[in-house]
Amino acid sequence: MIDHYDWSGGREAMVRFGPDSGPVVIMLLPLFEEHNRTRTFAVTICRALADLGVASILPDLPGQGESVLPTEQATLGRWRAAIASIAEAERNRRRVYLASFRAGAVLDGNEAAAGVWRLSPITGQTALADLQRAEAVGGKRDWDALGPEDAPVQLAGNAIGWPLYAALRADAVLIEPQAPHRTVRLDSDPAIADIKFPGTPLWRRAEPGNHPALARALASDIADWVRSCES
């Protein structure tokens, strides 16, 4: 169901899946072009969660997806405020969980969450470095020379304002959430995880894609983990 949420900066769209009762999972997609590559995959996960009786919400964050806010005006503060608004509104009637993908982990520290599930989490600094590598194909640039007086940074088709650029560059450590949390990775990823699944990292593809079998497996893992936290 198409819905919306209000936050201090305005109104943004979100899509609801699954039942109106029971816990709800707020999906935090990767940032920038990885967002576009994985949105269909995330929708498939949400639909699979609904089939398992678990509700989920897929929001557009300010400056991402179909948001009317220009990307160059997006900041970590605005993203976190938007997530907090959704979480607080939902927490009035049920427990809230966060499921973050990749650099969505930069945003999953909300205190309203009863738990956090992560897929292949990376830091903001790593996400920024990936964009810089993609941009560097067209010629090397001295990224360290950038400062607050510069115009928005153009990285792989994204106009990133200095406040967001600086915040991502400073986000060098993957902080563990205070709430119960679970880390999931693909079996091609050597980093430590609670469980690993076989599958293709869709965020690395040149075009958006989907992997229904992996989506169903991840949805089952999310549902089982949420239920274990509820028991």
Side-chain angles (χ1 to χ4, degrees), residues 47-54 216 219-221 223 227:
R47 287 175 173 159
L49 279 172
D51 290 340
L52 295 169
V54 177
R216 289 191 295 271
S220 180
D221 190 74
R227 286 171 179 145

Side-chain angles (χ1 to χ4, degrees), residues 76 106 123-126 128 162-175:
L76 287 188
V106 175
T123 64
Q125 190 176 92
T126 298
L128 190 63
W162 171 254
L164 178 56
Y165 181 89
L168 291 174
R169 188 167 65 178
D171 186 74
V173 179
L174 195 62
I175 299 174

Side-chain angles (χ1 to χ4, degrees), residues 133-188:
R133 277 192 292 272
E135 185 70 19
V137 172
K140 187 168 178 157
R141 183 172 181 184
D142 183 8
W143 303 109
D144 291 334
L146 294 172
E149 71 283 354
D150 289 303
V153 183
Q154 298 292 331
L155 288 174
N158 300 281
I160 304 175
W162 171 254
L164 178 56
Y165 181 89
L168 291 174
R169 188 167 65 178
D171 186 74
V173 179
L174 195 62
I175 299 174
E176 290 192 352
Q178 294 299 309
H181 54 277
R182 178 173 176 81
T183 298
V184 176
R185 297 183 185 275
L186 301 184
D187 56 9
S188 58

Side-chain angles (χ1 to χ4, degrees), residues 19-43:
D20 291 330
S21 59
V24 63
V25 181
I26 301 174
M27 314 296 281
L28 305 179
L29 293 189
L31 307 181
F32 309 117
E33 87 283 359
E34 288 192 6
H35 176 111
N36 298 324
R37 293 173 188 165
T38 58
R39 185 174 178 84
T40 298
F41 180 59
V43 169

